[in-house]
Tab-separated table of all heavy atoms in Angstrom:
chain	number	residue	atom	x	y	z
A	1	GLU	N	0.830	-1.201	0.002
A	1	GLU	CA	0.002	0.000	0.001
A	1	GLU	C	0.869	1.258	-0.002
A	1	GLU	O	0.592	2.223	-0.720
A	1	GLU	CB	-0.923	0.000	1.223
A	1	GLU	CG	-1.851	1.211	1.279
A	1	GLU	CD	-2.698	1.246	2.545
A	1	GLU	OE1	-2.607	0.305	3.354
A	1	GLU	OE2	-3.438	2.240	2.733
A	2	LEU	N	1.927	1.230	0.813
A	2	LEU	CA	2.857	2.365	0.837
A	2	LEU	C	3.538	2.536	-0.510
A	2	LEU	O	3.675	3.660	-1.016
A	2	LEU	CB	3.901	2.150	1.939
A	2	LEU	CG	5.076	3.146	1.976
A	2	LEU	CD1	4.583	4.572	2.194
A	2	LEU	CD2	6.065	2.748	3.076
A	3	ALA	N	3.957	1.413	-1.125
A	3	ALA	CA	4.646	1.482	-2.413
A	3	ALA	C	3.735	2.042	-3.498
A	3	ALA	O	4.156	2.844	-4.336
A	3	ALA	CB	5.157	0.102	-2.810
A	4	GLU	N	2.452	1.623	-3.487
A	4	GLU	CA	1.505	2.124	-4.495
A	4	GLU	C	1.290	3.630	-4.348
A	4	GLU	O	1.284	4.376	-5.329
A	4	GLU	CB	0.172	1.379	-4.363
A	4	GLU	CG	0.234	-0.074	-4.803
A	4	GLU	CD	-1.065	-0.823	-4.521
A	4	GLU	OE1	-1.906	-0.267	-3.770
A	4	GLU	OE2	-1.229	-1.943	-5.028
A	5	ALA	N	1.104	4.084	-3.089
A	5	ALA	CA	0.885	5.518	-2.853
A	5	ALA	C	2.125	6.326	-3.246
A	5	ALA	O	2.017	7.406	-3.850
A	5	ALA	CB	0.531	5.752	-1.391
A	6	ALA	N	3.316	5.809	-2.899
A	6	ALA	CA	4.557	6.513	-3.234
A	6	ALA	C	4.726	6.612	-4.739
A	6	ALA	O	5.170	7.645	-5.267
A	6	ALA	CB	5.746	5.791	-2.613
A	7	LEU	N	4.383	5.541	-5.468
A	7	LEU	CA	4.514	5.564	-6.929
A	7	LEU	C	3.578	6.598	-7.543
A	7	LEU	O	3.985	7.391	-8.390
A	7	LEU	CB	4.221	4.170	-7.492
A	7	LEU	CG	4.301	4.061	-9.036
A	7	LEU	CD1	4.933	2.732	-9.444
A	7	LEU	CD2	2.927	4.186	-9.676
A	8	VAL	N	2.298	6.600	-7.096
A	8	VAL	CA	1.335	7.550	-7.655
A	8	VAL	C	1.786	8.989	-7.383
A	8	VAL	O	1.701	9.851	-8.254
A	8	VAL	CB	-0.070	7.292	-7.061
A	8	VAL	CG1	-1.040	8.402	-7.487
A	8	VAL	CG2	-0.594	5.944	-7.520
A	9	ALA	N	2.293	9.250	-6.163
A	9	ALA	CA	2.745	10.593	-5.811
A	9	ALA	C	3.976	11.001	-6.602
A	9	ALA	O	4.282	12.197	-6.695
A	9	ALA	CB	3.035	10.659	-4.315
A	10	SER	N	4.691	10.030	-7.172
A	10	SER	CA	5.963	10.317	-7.861
A	10	SER	C	5.866	10.249	-9.371
A	10	SER	O	6.853	10.548	-10.057
A	10	SER	CB	7.042	9.334	-7.380
A	10	SER	OG	7.221	9.402	-5.989
A	11	LEU	N	4.716	9.856	-9.913
A	11	LEU	CA	4.615	9.712	-11.373
A	11	LEU	C	4.870	11.033	-12.095
A	11	LEU	O	5.425	11.042	-13.202
A	11	LEU	CB	3.233	9.172	-11.742
A	11	LEU	CG	3.041	7.662	-11.564
A	11	LEU	CD1	1.588	7.271	-11.820
A	11	LEU	CD2	3.974	6.874	-12.479
A	12	ALA	N	4.477	12.124	-11.486
A	12	ALA	CA	4.701	13.434	-12.127
A	12	ALA	C	5.994	14.089	-11.674
A	12	ALA	O	6.305	15.207	-12.097
A	12	ALA	CB	3.520	14.358	-11.824
A	13	ASP	N	6.759	13.397	-10.819
A	13	ASP	CA	8.023	13.933	-10.299
A	13	ASP	C	9.158	13.520	-11.225
A	13	ASP	O	9.562	12.358	-11.252
A	13	ASP	CB	8.246	13.400	-8.884
A	13	ASP	CG	9.481	14.013	-8.214
A	13	ASP	OD1	10.233	14.732	-8.900
A	13	ASP	OD2	9.688	13.756	-7.014
A	14	GLU	N	9.691	14.476	-11.984
A	14	GLU	CA	10.725	14.156	-12.970
A	14	GLU	C	12.137	14.271	-12.408
A	14	GLU	O	13.110	14.164	-13.152
A	14	GLU	CB	10.592	15.073	-14.191
A	14	GLU	CG	9.378	14.776	-15.051
A	14	GLU	CD	9.402	13.347	-15.592
A	14	GLU	OE1	10.492	12.868	-15.982
A	14	GLU	OE2	8.347	12.698	-15.595
A	15	THR	N	12.260	14.482	-11.110
A	15	THR	CA	13.601	14.515	-10.512
A	15	THR	C	14.169	13.101	-10.453
A	15	THR	O	13.421	12.115	-10.467
A	15	THR	CB	13.553	15.101	-9.091
A	15	THR	OG1	12.808	14.206	-8.246
A	15	THR	CG2	12.918	16.470	-9.082
A	16	PRO	N	15.496	12.962	-10.375
A	16	PRO	CA	16.082	11.621	-10.252
A	16	PRO	C	15.548	10.863	-9.035
A	16	PRO	O	15.328	9.652	-9.105
A	16	PRO	CB	17.583	11.906	-10.107
A	16	PRO	CG	17.773	13.223	-10.783
A	16	PRO	CD	16.541	13.995	-10.501
A	17	GLU	N	15.300	11.584	-7.923
A	17	GLU	CA	14.758	10.921	-6.737
A	17	GLU	C	13.360	10.389	-7.006
A	17	GLU	O	13.010	9.260	-6.633
A	17	GLU	CB	14.731	11.895	-5.555
A	17	GLU	CG	16.095	12.273	-5.029
A	17	GLU	CD	16.683	13.486	-5.730
A	17	GLU	OE1	16.127	13.879	-6.796
A	17	GLU	OE2	17.688	14.024	-5.247
A	18	GLY	N	12.527	11.215	-7.680
A	18	GLY	CA	11.167	10.788	-7.990
A	18	GLY	C	11.148	9.569	-8.899
A	18	GLY	O	10.374	8.623	-8.687
A	19	ARG	N	12.004	9.590	-9.925
A	19	ARG	CA	12.055	8.446	-10.848
A	19	ARG	C	12.532	7.186	-10.130
A	19	ARG	O	12.100	6.078	-10.442
A	19	ARG	CB	12.965	8.774	-12.026
A	19	ARG	CG	12.375	9.829	-12.964
A	19	ARG	CD	13.134	9.872	-14.289
A	19	ARG	NE	14.500	10.345	-14.106
A	19	ARG	CZ	14.878	11.597	-14.199
A	19	ARG	NH1	13.981	12.538	-14.465
A	19	ARG	NH2	16.141	11.950	-14.035
A	20	SER	N	13.427	7.354	-9.142
A	20	SER	CA	13.928	6.175	-8.423
A	20	SER	C	12.847	5.570	-7.534
A	20	SER	O	12.826	4.356	-7.320
A	20	SER	CB	15.158	6.552	-7.585
A	20	SER	OG	14.806	7.306	-6.445
A	21	VAL	N	11.925	6.413	-7.008
A	21	VAL	CA	10.800	5.892	-6.225
A	21	VAL	C	9.903	5.029	-7.104
A	21	VAL	O	9.487	3.918	-6.721
A	21	VAL	CB	9.995	7.057	-5.591
A	21	VAL	CG1	8.712	6.523	-4.949
A	21	VAL	CG2	10.830	7.787	-4.558
A	22	VAL	N	9.605	5.525	-8.296
A	22	VAL	CA	8.784	4.771	-9.242
A	22	VAL	C	9.457	3.455	-9.605
A	22	VAL	O	8.822	2.384	-9.623
A	22	VAL	CB	8.510	5.613	-10.506
A	22	VAL	CG1	7.795	4.780	-11.563
A	22	VAL	CG2	7.695	6.850	-10.153
A	23	ALA	N	10.738	3.505	-9.886
A	23	ALA	CA	11.472	2.289	-10.269
A	23	ALA	C	11.479	1.268	-9.140
A	23	ALA	O	11.295	0.060	-9.368
A	23	ALA	CB	12.901	2.657	-10.661
A	24	LEU	N	11.671	1.724	-7.891
A	24	LEU	CA	11.704	0.798	-6.754
A	24	LEU	C	10.342	0.131	-6.562
A	24	LEU	O	10.270	-1.090	-6.320
A	24	LEU	CB	12.110	1.557	-5.493
A	24	LEU	CG	12.195	0.726	-4.203
A	24	LEU	CD1	13.301	-0.311	-4.314
A	24	LEU	CD2	12.438	1.633	-2.988
A	25	ALA	N	9.249	0.899	-6.679
A	25	ALA	CA	7.909	0.328	-6.508
A	25	ALA	C	7.601	-0.702	-7.591
A	25	ALA	O	6.994	-1.744	-7.319
A	25	ALA	CB	6.873	1.452	-6.529
A	26	ARG	N	8.030	-0.445	-8.789
A	26	ARG	CA	7.757	-1.382	-9.892
A	26	ARG	C	8.608	-2.646	-9.800
A	26	ARG	O	8.109	-3.758	-9.982
A	26	ARG	CB	8.005	-0.684	-11.229
A	26	ARG	CG	6.933	0.329	-11.599
A	26	ARG	CD	7.297	1.101	-12.848
A	26	ARG	NE	6.224	2.004	-13.258
A	26	ARG	CZ	6.348	2.934	-14.184
A	26	ARG	NH1	7.533	3.115	-14.791
A	26	ARG	NH2	5.322	3.705	-14.505
A	27	GLU	N	9.871	-2.472	-9.494
A	27	GLU	CA	10.782	-3.620	-9.511
A	27	GLU	C	10.609	-4.530	-8.296
A	27	GLU	O	10.645	-5.744	-8.410
A	27	GLU	CB	12.232	-3.119	-9.582
A	27	GLU	CG	12.575	-2.433	-10.885
A	27	GLU	CD	13.914	-1.725	-10.843
A	27	GLU	OE1	14.626	-1.879	-9.820
A	27	GLU	OE2	14.244	-1.003	-11.801
A	28	ARG	N	10.394	-3.918	-7.114
A	28	ARG	CA	10.363	-4.737	-5.903
A	28	ARG	C	8.950	-5.162	-5.518
A	28	ARG	O	8.764	-6.215	-4.900
A	28	ARG	CB	11.010	-3.981	-4.749
A	28	ARG	CG	11.321	-4.867	-3.546
A	28	ARG	CD	12.172	-4.167	-2.520
A	28	ARG	NE	13.473	-3.761	-3.060
A	28	ARG	CZ	14.385	-3.088	-2.359
A	28	ARG	NH1	14.124	-2.744	-1.099
A	28	ARG	NH2	15.542	-2.750	-2.912
A	29	PHE	N	7.932	-4.364	-5.899
A	29	PHE	CA	6.573	-4.685	-5.456
A	29	PHE	C	5.596	-4.837	-6.617
A	29	PHE	O	4.394	-4.959	-6.399
A	29	PHE	CB	6.080	-3.592	-4.488
A	29	PHE	CG	6.952	-3.468	-3.263
A	29	PHE	CD1	7.915	-2.477	-3.183
A	29	PHE	CD2	6.821	-4.365	-2.212
A	29	PHE	CE1	8.727	-2.360	-2.070
A	29	PHE	CE2	7.639	-4.254	-1.093
A	29	PHE	CZ	8.596	-3.263	-1.016
A	30	ASP	N	6.116	-4.816	-7.833
A	30	ASP	CA	5.322	-5.088	-9.027
A	30	ASP	C	4.100	-4.173	-9.148
A	30	ASP	O	3.029	-4.601	-9.564
A	30	ASP	CB	4.891	-6.560	-9.045
A	30	ASP	CG	4.509	-7.017	-10.452
A	30	ASP	OD1	5.073	-6.468	-11.423
A	30	ASP	OD2	3.649	-7.908	-10.579
A	31	VAL	N	4.295	-2.899	-8.757
A	31	VAL	CA	3.229	-1.921	-8.929
A	31	VAL	C	3.268	-1.457	-10.378
A	31	VAL	O	4.287	-0.947	-10.839
A	31	VAL	CB	3.400	-0.732	-7.967
A	31	VAL	CG1	2.270	0.276	-8.170
A	31	VAL	CG2	3.429	-1.210	-6.528
A	32	ARG	N	2.157	-1.579	-11.112
A	32	ARG	CA	2.200	-1.406	-12.555
A	32	ARG	C	1.473	-0.176	-13.086
A	32	ARG	O	1.288	-0.063	-14.283
A	32	ARG	CB	1.623	-2.645	-13.236
A	32	ARG	CG	2.525	-3.863	-13.119
A	32	ARG	CD	3.872	-3.587	-13.750
A	32	ARG	NE	4.872	-4.590	-13.421
A	32	ARG	CZ	6.165	-4.439	-13.659
A	32	ARG	NH1	6.592	-3.305	-14.197
A	32	ARG	NH2	7.013	-5.385	-13.340
A	33	GLN	N	1.046	0.732	-12.267
A	33	GLN	CA	0.385	1.934	-12.767
A	33	GLN	C	1.408	2.786	-13.511
A	33	GLN	O	2.442	3.153	-12.967
A	33	GLN	CB	-0.244	2.729	-11.622
A	33	GLN	CG	-1.041	3.921	-12.125
A	33	GLN	CD	-1.873	4.552	-11.002
A	33	GLN	OE1	-2.086	3.930	-9.967
A	33	GLN	NE2	-2.348	5.763	-11.211
A	34	ASP	N	1.097	3.100	-14.785
A	34	ASP	CA	2.068	3.809	-15.631
A	34	ASP	C	1.774	5.291	-15.800
A	34	ASP	O	2.648	6.052	-16.209
A	34	ASP	CB	2.117	3.157	-17.016
A	34	ASP	CG	2.666	1.744	-16.947
A	34	ASP	OD1	3.572	1.508	-16.119
A	34	ASP	OD2	2.189	0.884	-17.701
């Protein structure tokens, strides 16, 4: 649940930190919202 919320909050974040949050949620927790 935390990973999904973090990914959604970071989808519009184009900073390297924001992109790394999205990558971590997808790779480790298979969150697939694009």
